[in-house]
Amino acid sequence: MTAGAGIDRPDMEPASRHAAGREAWDAAAAAFDEAWLWHRWDAIEAYATWRDTVDRSFALVDASAARRILALVPLRLVRGRGPFRRMFGRLESTGGPAFATGLTAGERRNVERAVADHLWRLARADGVWRI
């Protein structure tokens, strides 16, 4: 993934849950004050088995060599049923985004914007009608 891929900030980039890796993902979930059980890898794996569901979870990562996770977003694409599969798809998150503990107010705003930007890009790519 190249810096800034999927968002308009060269200092941050989205990484799929699998690209972030289980160890780093769960370490961030354990470290973030806002993260709960549904932000953990195993919970997301369980949701991914639900009918008409595709995992779209992502982490927002700083683009430096440190690759620090700034936010975790447990997310799933839920497809519509029958002939409306594409028309009524939606992106859902149990728990919503969890942000790194210790971000300044300005950093938090920037990370929130980058998460929102990536959610909109995923919604357009998947043709969903609701986030």
Side-chain angles (χ1 to χ4, degrees), residues 93-110:
S93 178
T94 303
F99 297 92
T101 304
L103 294 174
T104 67
E107 290 169 334
R108 170 76 181 235
R109 275 191 307 276
N110 287 336

Side-chain angles (χ1 to χ4, degrees), residues 52-112:
D52 299 318
T53 299
V54 178
D55 182 31
R56 290 286 190 260
S57 300
F58 66 94
L60 191 66
V61 181
D62 79 18
S64 73
R67 305 289 299 157
R68 177 177 170 225
I69 295 178
L70 303 169
L72 296 174
V73 184
L75 188 67
R76 61 189 178 270
L77 167 64
V78 181
R79 299 187 191 278
R81 300 253 167 103
F84 305 104
R85 285 184 66 78
R86 179 101 169 133
M87 187 185 318
F88 291 112
R90 61 193 183 279
L91 290 171
E92 292 185 350
S93 178
T94 303
F99 297 92
T101 304
L103 294 174
T104 67
E107 290 169 334
R108 170 76 181 235
R109 275 191 307 276
N110 287 336
V111 173
E112 287 173 346

Side-chain angles (χ1 to χ4, degrees), residues 15 22-23 28-29 45 47 56 65 69 71 77 86 94 115-116 119:
R22 182 184 185 120
E23 187 175 312
E45 281 290 302
Y47 301 145
R56 290 286 190 260
I69 295 178
L77 167 64
R86 179 101 169 133
T94 303
V115 165
L119 285 169

